[in-house]
Amino acid sequence: MSAILPPSDRLWWKQPIDKVEWAWIAIAFVWGMIMFAMMIYWHVYGKQNLSNEAYKTTPEMFAAKAEKFIAENTVRTETDQNIPVVKVPAGGDGYLIARLWAWYPILELEKGQTYKIHLSSMDYNHGFSLQPVNINIQVIPGYEHVVKMTPTKEGTYAIVCNEYCGIGHHSMLGRIYVK
């Protein structure tokens, strides 16, 4: 029999299935059931799931809340663009704006404290990727994403946009300081 020529027996699907094939079908089925059960287990007991919320908003409403937060909590400015560094009150809410090619402002958090970080986009879809801890969230205009974070290590964490947002996408970087 050849793969090029049609089968000599036209009713090939009526042939009995070999024991080896039944064994592999059984192994695949059992493995599929194990993985199905593990998905439920990982969802309930795994630590990879973010506890986040999302609310409908408008860019104007979110920008107003964020600007109020920035005005009340700015401790200094950094970079040649004078980006404000904002100390989020311990256990409080912090606001982070995604807009064309910038994360605004720079947040300063305390190690061991739990925060609610509010994210929203002013223009296009953006991706919030916190490195090196690898938290990934798609930030969509018109939605306010609230993510609970508890920093466990001090340091400077990079925020990278991982959703292509135009010609300046490569420069869309931000920072979170943990002290």
Side-chain angles (χ1 to χ4, degrees):
M1 186 158 143
S2 168
I4 298 172
L5 301 174
S8 58
D9 186 2
R10 292 298 217 181
L11 302 176
W12 59 268
W13 59 87
K14 291 189 178 183
Q15 297 296 318
I17 299 175
D18 191 75
K19 289 179 185 174
V20 174
E21 288 181 273
W22 276 118
W24 281 110
I25 291 170
I27 289 169
F29 179 76
V30 168
W31 186 251
M33 291 297 105
I34 290 170
M35 292 308 290
F36 178 77
M38 290 304 292
M39 285 190 314
I40 296 167
Y41 173 80
W42 287 323
H43 182 73
V44 174
Y45 297 106
K47 296 193 184 295
Q48 76 278 3
N49 297 318
L50 293 173
S51 57
N52 58 2
E53 310 163 24
Y55 303 101
K56 194 94 166 116
T57 188
T58 64
E60 296 78 21
M61 287 173 45
F62 187 81
K65 287 195 286 188
E67 291 299 336
K68 181 178 184 251
F69 163 75
I70 293 165
E72 292 172 356
N73 298 292
T74 298
V75 291
R76 65 184 179 281
T77 60
E78 285 188 4
T79 75
D80 55 342
Q81 299 167 334
N82 289 326
I83 299 173
V85 177
V86 181
K87 184 168 179 56
V88 182
D93 294 331
Y95 291 82
L96 195 57
I97 296 173
R99 58 182 174 207
L100 264 189
W101 315 319
W103 291 101
Y104 182 83
I106 298 170
L107 299 180
E108 189 173 278
L109 310 175
E110 288 181 36
K111 176 182 168 187
Q113 298 293 326
T114 300
Y115 299 93
K116 283 186 168 182
I117 306 299
H118 299 251
L119 306 165
S120 190
S121 171
M122 299 294 109
D123 41 37
Y124 301 114
N125 283 356
H126 294 286
F128 174 86
S129 179
L130 187 62
Q131 298 298 326
V133 290
N134 199 24
I135 294 175
N136 290 293
I137 299 167
Q138 184 149 7
V139 183
I140 302 168
Y143 288 92
E144 179 176 342
H145 303 276
V146 183
V147 181
K148 285 184 184 175
M149 288 186 194
T150 306
T152 57
K153 293 182 184 173
E154 293 181 359
T156 301
Y157 294 83
I159 303 170
V160 179
C161 179
N162 59 7
E163 183 75 28
Y164 183 73
C165 56
I167 193 91
H169 168 72
H170 65 283
S171 65
M172 188 168 174
L173 303 170
R175 276 179 264 165
I176 293 180
Y177 297 129
V178 177
K179 304 225 173 191

